[in-house]
Amino acid sequence: MSESQRFQLGTVGALSLSVVSSVSIVICNKALISTLGFTFATTLTSWHLLVTFCSLHVALWMKLFEHKPFDARAVMGFGILNGTSIGLLNLSLGFNSVGFYQMTKLAIIPCTVLLETLFFRKRFSQNIQLSLVILLVGVGIATVTDLQLNVLGSVLSLLAVVTTCIAQIMTNTIQKKFKVSSTQLLYQSCPYQALTLFIIGPFLDGLLTDQNVFAFKYTPQVLFFIVLSCLISVSVNFSTFLVIGKTSPVTYQVLGHLKTCLVLAFGYVLLRDPFSWRNILGILIAVIGMVLYSYYCTVENQQKASEASTKLPEVKESESDPLVGVENGSGILADGVVQKAPVWNSNKDLHA
């Protein structure tokens, strides 16, 4: 099996793990929140991250992966930003209608595209942009019902979108820049994410629900679903970092909307949630957008690979006598400037 085939197989595995684990945790949390009345979402997320860190620590002790320390300030800033974005998303849901919250989630893709274009000079072809527009229109039709606006809710949504985009872009760039795996990054950033949500979680949950998480009556059934949710979250958190590292933040958001459509479908089939022709139409349009996105990414990736392969013989020919190159100063220096490989792969989004 070639390296490209192994990469594609690993990407498919990461995408599949992300979908299965995310849909599972949504169903579990729906039972926990809607049926059992445990509405403390932010505090629950902090427990998720704590269990994830403990699980990874056990895996490290079993030598299933290698600990690779790197820039402590980058890890701390990334972890705090990630935790803050989760809290802001929960606040956005609490201070806005469900429809406006769905619009907030839809805004993450164009915001990510804009940030990557402006700051990383990344280029998205017209075909990719068209497929993303079709996807967003479909998800919007399926999920957005009402748009009740208010100033505080709009500000919180804007902050949630910006912090989420930056955090997901950082997930990709940190893995490339410091050459760390998704597991290594998750292991080092988990404590900062968990600590951030531990601090703000009870306050946010109390503000949104008018209840105290420490005064809640924890029945055996509630504890069972909390433990189950925490165990599933290990897979969710791991697959999130894995998908963003192997593909890109935009591809991860596309995958997130696929999960939304699957959750709607499972809710109708398993839980008998209300379902209309509008939901069906929106899901079908969204699926068309996802298929087009995947197709165009694959085609453009193959084009890039073929272009790279045609240039490879020229590169090898120029490197046939490396000693001469070093003696002439061309092996390391070009006009007195040290050449460095770029830390950002502008075509990484095409590996999806």
Side-chain angles (χ1 to χ4, degrees):
M1 184 180 294
S2 65
E3 183 178 351
S4 62
Q5 289 176 326
R6 287 198 299 270
F7 179 84
Q8 291 176 356
L9 184 61
T11 302
V12 171
L15 295 172
S16 303
L17 177 63
S18 180
V19 170
V20 172
S21 58
S22 295
V23 173
S24 300
I25 202 169
V26 166
I27 294 175
C28 178
N29 289 347
K30 185 177 180 65
L32 184 61
I33 294 173
S34 301
T35 305
L36 300 176
F38 186 86
T39 56
F40 311 103
T42 308
T43 303
L44 179 63
T45 305
S46 69
W47 297 345
H48 287 171
L49 290 166
L50 178 62
V51 172
T52 299
F53 175 74
C54 293
S55 301
L56 290 176
H57 195 70
V58 172
L60 179 64
W61 177 73
M62 297 174 64
K63 297 183 179 180
L64 297 179
F65 72 97
E66 180 184 355
H67 179 46
K68 185 179 179 181
F70 58 98
D71 193 336
R73 288 184 299 178
V75 175
M76 181 183 300
F78 169 71
I80 293 175
L81 180 64
N82 239 332
T84 303
S85 70
I86 295 171
L88 286 170
L89 282 171
N90 287 338
L91 279 175
S92 175
L93 178 58
F95 284 91
N96 290 301
S97 63
V98 175
F100 192 81
Y101 174 72
Q102 291 296 337
M103 286 296 295
T104 299
K105 292 173 66 178
L106 292 178
I108 293 176
I109 282 184
C111 182
T112 303
V113 170
L114 178 63
L115 290 176
E116 291 193 313
T117 302
L118 290 177
F119 295 102
F120 296 97
R121 307 298 181 188
K122 190 171 183 178
R123 293 291 177 260
F124 297 86
S125 68
Q126 291 184 347
N127 289 332
I128 294 292
Q129 294 177 29
L130 176 61
S131 63
L132 290 175
V133 169
I134 295 173
L135 165 67
L136 295 177
V137 169
V139 177
I141 293 174
T143 60
V144 177
T145 53
D146 60 324
L147 289 176
Q148 300 175 10
L149 303 179
N150 65 83
V151 176
L152 178 59
S154 299
V155 171
L156 290 172
S157 293
L158 177 62
L159 292 174
V161 169
V162 172
T163 54
T164 300
C165 292
I166 295 175
Q168 292 182 357
I169 291 173
M170 285 181 67
T171 302
N172 186 286
T173 55
I174 287 177
Q175 291 186 53
K176 303 298 180 296
K177 181 177 181 180
F178 296 103
K179 293 181 172 56
V180 294
S181 67
S182 56
T183 309
Q184 291 167 334
L185 177 59
L186 180 60
Y187 175 71
Q188 295 189 62
S189 63
C190 250
Y192 298 107
Q193 295 182 61
L195 181 61
T196 302
L197 293 177
F198 266 128
I199 295 172
I200 67 175
F203 171 75
L204 290 185
D205 290 333
L207 182 65
L208 297 174
T209 64
D210 291 327
Q211 297 183 52
N212 187 346
V213 64
F214 302 109
F216 186 80
K217 184 178 180 181
Y218 292 89
T219 64
Q221 193 174 13
V222 170
L223 291 174
F224 170 78
F225 276 96
I226 289 176
V227 172
L228 180 61
S229 178
C230 288
L231 292 176
I232 299 175
S233 73
V234 177
S235 177
V236 172
N237 291 323
F238 173 72
S239 62
T240 296
F241 280 60
L242 191 61
V243 167
I244 296 177
K246 284 186 171 292
T247 57
S248 75
V250 173
T251 298
Y252 176 73
Q253 286 299 322
V254 171
L255 186 69
H257 292 306
L258 170 61
K259 300 171 194 174
T260 300
C261 295
L262 290 176
V263 168
L264 288 173
F266 276 116
Y268 173 72
V269 174
L270 300 178
L271 306 176
R272 300 301 177 187
D273 288 342
F275 212 64
S276 65
W277 283 106
R278 175 176 173 173
N279 298 127
I280 297 174
L281 176 63
I283 289 176
L284 290 177
I285 294 175
V287 169
I288 292 173
M290 293 173 201
V291 172
L292 289 174
Y293 177 81
S294 178
Y295 171 75
Y296 289 133
C297 281
T298 303
V299 169
E300 293 181 18
N301 183 45
Q302 291 174 348
Q303 291 175 349
K304 296 294 182 182
S306 63
E307 291 175 3
S309 63
T310 55
K311 293 179 180 179
L312 188 60
E314 300 177 5
V315 176
K316 287 185 176 180
E317 183 178 352
S318 65
E319 294 177 350
S320 59
D321 195 352
L323 292 178
V324 175
V326 173
E327 289 174 357
N328 293 333
S330 61
I332 300 177
L333 300 177
D335 297 328
V337 179
V338 178
Q339 295 180 344
K340 295 182 179 180
V343 297
W344 174 262
N345 182 358
S346 60
N347 299 317
K348 192 62 179 176
D349 193 53
L350 304 181
H351 288 308

